[in-house]
Each structure stands twice: as structure tokens, then as C-alpha cells.
Amino acid sequence: MHGTSCTYAQNFLYFCAIFSCWIRELFQVFENGMCYEFVPGETLTLDDVRDEHISRLIIRNFVKLHCVYRTSGGGERQVFNPFKKMSSFLELVPKAFEDEEKQRKFMEYYPNPEIFAQEIEILKEHLTGFDIQSPKVFCHNDLLCANILYDKEKDCVNFIDFEYAGLNHQAYDLANHFNEFAGVEECDYSRFPSREYQISWLTYYLKCWNKVHNGDSDGGADDDVEVTDQQVESLYVVVNKFTLVSHLLWILWTLIQAEHSEIDFDFLRYGKLRFDEYNRRKHELLAMTVPSP
């Protein structure tokens, strides 16, 4: 096989290896998507995602997904670099919106559009020093409630819509998930998980993660798994820093969607809500430090 055929075969085999962990059959992989068998379950609500039992099922699935990084193959196509993604999104943001009302809103919400390139560089430079704190693993990268299904019969959750999946920092995937607690249709950042909630959530995640890496493929946490306060606090700090990256990436995405999407949704307003939250927490989060071992 040569050229495109070889690349296609590698991609197909790569995703087959990944999806063997989740579903029985992957039918086809395309340049801009994939086709796999029907996944049963009900979409989670914002209340469901906070439920202790369901959140633990989500955590176990996260660990299961994040351990796929051991899979070989896939090439650069399966690398999700959030900084490169933001830069590519920025190039696609319209210079001016065709719709006059959208253009008016854009200028009201973002009077200095040049700030986006500056913010990308600020985050990139700041987080470079924290790269070693967060391993690169296979991430979903878009785990909002709508992409999590709960199967009541089997008492399990399944992740769907792997459009943005790829190797990325572990902390980004968790940060993006926490950001999605605010919702989309009625976005409200008072629902962002508290420190207490995150510490409990991340402690269980690390217990499951450590157990898998100690040779137990089941991933279920038990009292014998050691997790230190320093490990939990370090993950908490880095995850919260990456919430800024998640915000900025999806803000740029909303600007592209506002111009091109046919979905009846106020993308500009949603992006503005995220931009406000980004600015509200930016200095606080950039000032956070990882505790010494």
C-alpha cells in the first residue's frame, strides 16, 4: 500500500484498536468522521453528571480511554495539540460576518479581536512549564454531557462522538469535562465544580489510574491504592490551568460556527459567556502553583 491507501489503513487499524475497548464494531473511517455501530443509552443531564455513582462510571471510562495511549500507530493525524488547533481555528475565524447583526455582536463582544493570538501565546508559554505534570494520553477532547450515554440495563456509561479525539494532555481532557458542567443551552458557570468536588473526583480518578498502572486492568479503585495529597493537589492545579485552554479553543470554535453553522443557536452569545469566564478566572489560575513533592 502506498500514499493515501497506506495512511487510510493505518488510521482504520488505529481506530479499530481504540474502539475495541468501547464497541463491538467499527464500520468505516473517513477523512472527516467515522461510522460505528449503534450505542444504546440515554444522554446525561447536568444533574446526572454530578451524581456520585454515575460520575464514578465516567471516571472509570476516562481511565480506560486514557490508557489507550499505549496503542501504536495513528501518526500525526491522531495528535490533538490544543495550541495548534486554536491557531488553525483562528485562521478560520471570519474577518467580518455576512450577517449585520452578528457583526454588530462580534464587535461588541470582542472589540479587540487581535487579543486571541496574544492569549494563545500567553497560555502556550505558561503551560509549557507544566507539560511534564500532565502525560499525553488518548483523549476524547469534547466530553460534554451530550457525548456521554448511560445504559441503565448494564449500569454503564459510554462515550460517543470522537470527532476531536487524539493524543493530548491528560489534564486537558479532565479540564474540558469540568468546564462542560456549566451546560451549553443554558450555560451557567456557577455550576462549575467546586474545589471540594474536584478533589474528590480527581482522587478517585488517580486511584483508578494508579491501579491500572499497577497491573490491574479492571481499573476499579480500592483502599489499597495509594494516592497522596500532593498527587491530587498537583493534578487539581494543572487541570484548572487547562480549563483556560479549553475555554479559548471553544470560543474560537463558536466564532467559526456563528458564520457557517445552520443550527439555530446563538454561538456568539455562548462564546461570550465562555470569554467572560476565561477573563474572570485567568489571573487566578495562572498564579496557581504545583505543590512541591
Side-chain angles (χ1 to χ4, degrees):
M1 293 181 289
H2 300 281
T4 304
S5 297
C6 183
T7 302
Y8 167 80
Q10 289 174 341
N11 288 335
F12 184 73
L13 291 173
Y14 180 71
F15 279 110
C16 278
I18 293 165
F19 276 82
S20 65
C21 300
W22 306 89
I23 59 177
R24 289 187 296 275
E25 190 165 6
L26 174 66
F27 300 125
Q28 189 65 274
V29 174
F30 310 101
E31 275 300 311
N32 62 345
M34 62 186 70
C35 178
Y36 51 87
E37 70 174 325
F38 174 76
V39 180
E42 296 181 6
T43 303
L44 293 188
T45 67
L46 295 175
D47 290 331
D48 292 334
V49 79
R50 289 180 175 275
D51 177 83
E52 183 177 1
H53 175 67
I54 291 178
S55 68
R56 290 199 163 202
L57 295 178
I58 293 171
I59 291 168
R60 288 187 176 209
N61 257 26
F62 257 125
V63 171
K64 190 176 177 183
L65 180 67
H66 289 169
C67 285
V68 177
Y69 76 94
R70 296 190 182 96
T71 304
S72 61
E76 284 298 312
R77 186 176 183 274
Q78 276 71 53
V79 175
F80 184 96
N81 182 316
F83 301 105
K84 287 184 178 179
K85 181 66 73 174
M86 284 191 284
S87 295
S88 64
F89 277 174
L90 186 56
E91 291 179 1
L92 296 173
V93 171
K95 304 301 180 185
F97 289 85
E98 290 186 10
D99 184 281
E100 290 184 4
E101 178 60 16
K102 289 181 179 179
Q103 180 62 21
R104 185 195 65 76
K105 283 186 177 181
F106 175 71
M107 294 307 297
E108 176 188 342
Y109 296 165
Y110 310 104
N112 179 22
E114 292 78 14
I115 197 172
F116 293 124
Q118 298 169 16
E119 293 299 319
I120 292 173
E121 289 306 312
I122 288 171
L123 294 182
K124 184 177 180 180
E125 181 178 350
H126 178 79
L127 286 166
T128 297
F130 292 89
D131 282 357
I132 58 173
Q133 303 288 340
S134 181
K136 285 188 177 180
V137 298
F138 191 83
C139 296
H140 185 284
N141 294 314
D142 188 21
L143 206 61
L144 66 163
C145 290
N147 287 339
I148 308 174
L149 302 180
Y150 176 57
D151 186 335
K152 290 183 179 179
E153 186 177 336
K154 295 183 179 179
D155 189 30
C156 68
V157 297
N158 288 293
F159 299 163
I160 59 171
D161 290 355
F162 285 77
E163 178 184 358
Y164 293 98
L167 292 174
N168 192 6
H169 291 290
Q170 177 191 53
Y172 177 91
D173 218 15
L174 306 183
N176 188 75
H177 180 60
F178 286 158
N179 275 344
E180 298 298 346
F181 277 45
V184 177
E185 298 292 338
E186 297 180 9
C187 185
D188 178 2
Y189 282 101
S190 69
R191 292 194 289 247
F192 183 81
S194 66
R195 171 183 165 82
E196 180 183 9
Y197 181 94
Q198 289 187 59
I199 290 295
S200 175
W201 197 103
L202 294 171
T203 298
Y204 188 75
Y205 175 91
L206 284 172
K207 282 179 177 286
C208 294
W209 173 263
N210 288 350
K211 189 168 186 181
V212 168
H213 284 75
N214 288 337
D216 188 333
S217 60
D218 175 60
D222 62 25
D223 294 334
D224 296 330
V225 179
E226 232 180 275
V227 176
T228 67
D229 291 342
Q230 191 273 338
Q231 287 176 318
V232 177
E233 184 67 22
S234 294
L235 183 57
Y236 170 78
V237 169
V238 180
V239 164
N240 276 269
K241 287 179 180 293
F242 269 98
T243 60
L244 295 173
V245 181
S246 165
H247 278 313
L248 192 55
L249 186 146
W250 294 118
I251 290 165
L252 294 170
W253 175 85
T254 63
L255 298 179
I256 300 168
Q257 296 301 311
E259 176 69 1
H260 301 290
S261 177
E262 296 181 0
I263 297 173
D264 183 16
F265 180 73
D266 192 343
F267 287 101
L268 288 174
R269 180 178 177 277
Y270 175 62
K272 177 61 164 55
L273 289 172
R274 296 197 73 144
F275 192 55
D276 288 346
E277 181 68 4
Y278 173 90
N279 286 319
R280 186 181 74 84
R281 301 206 65 201
K282 174 185 168 184
H283 296 295
E284 167 203 351
L285 297 180
L286 292 183
M288 292 175 73
T289 58
V290 173
S292 302

